[in-house]
């Protein structure tokens, strides 16, 4: 039998509670990526690709992606957004929530109640 994990517990609880909750646990998309996205991934994985996709990114995301996001959201929010200090690309909701909470919890004894 598979080992019980926090993800299987979250999944079971979310299934039990139905549409009244949003399961931010392990994701299982029920859709395929658009063909252009799948092709772009294949293109950068090619050995002769000019893009170095075979290297770890900095923890806040690839600088080129952060720059594109900063330009997009600078227009959206009508102010300059610094890609190096105001953009963070995460690997999923769990990391995004952790990073967000860590940025607002400042002192020993601060408490978060969920």
């Amino acid at each position: 039998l598979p080992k019980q994990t926090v993800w299987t517990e979250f999944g079971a609880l979310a299934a039990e509670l139905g549409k009244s909750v949003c399961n931010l646990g392990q994701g299982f998309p029920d859709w395929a990526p658009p063909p252009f996205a799948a092709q772009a991934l294949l293109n950068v994985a090619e050995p002769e690709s000019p893009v170095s996709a075979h290297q770890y990114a900095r923890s806040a995301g690839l600088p080129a992606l952060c720059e594109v996001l900063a330009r997009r959201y600078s227009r959206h929010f009508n102010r300059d957004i610094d890609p190096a200090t105001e953009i963070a690309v995460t690997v999923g909701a769990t990391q995004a929530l952790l990073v967000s909470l860590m940025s607002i919890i400042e002192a020993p004894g601060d408490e978060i109640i969920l």
Side-chain angles (χ1 to χ4, degrees):
L1 292 173
K3 179 181 169 187
Q4 186 77 357
T5 68
V6 67
W7 304 118
T8 56
E9 289 181 35
F10 284 163
L13 185 59
E16 179 184 323
L17 296 172
K19 294 186 186 252
S20 66
V21 299
C22 179
N23 182 359
L24 295 178
Q26 187 177 12
F28 294 100
D30 59 357
W31 48 271
F36 77 88
Q39 187 59 54
L41 178 61
L42 292 172
N43 291 346
V44 299
E46 290 293 327
E48 55 276 348
S49 171
V51 178
S52 177
H54 308 287
Q55 182 104 30
Y56 285 115
R58 68 187 186 109
S59 60
L62 289 170
L65 175 58
C66 292
E67 289 169 12
V68 169
L69 292 171
R71 283 195 305 271
R72 162 65 176 89
Y73 284 101
S74 290
R75 287 192 306 270
H76 181 75
F77 291 115
N78 199 29
R79 71 172 189 84
D80 287 337
I81 293 178
D82 184 339
T85 62
E86 296 182 278
I87 298 287
V89 177
T90 66
V91 296
T94 302
Q95 183 189 13
L97 289 169
L98 173 66
V99 170
S100 298
L101 290 173
M102 289 177 67
S103 72
I104 61 173
I105 300 172
E106 296 183 3
D110 280 358
E111 184 177 3
I112 300 294
I113 300 173
L114 298 175

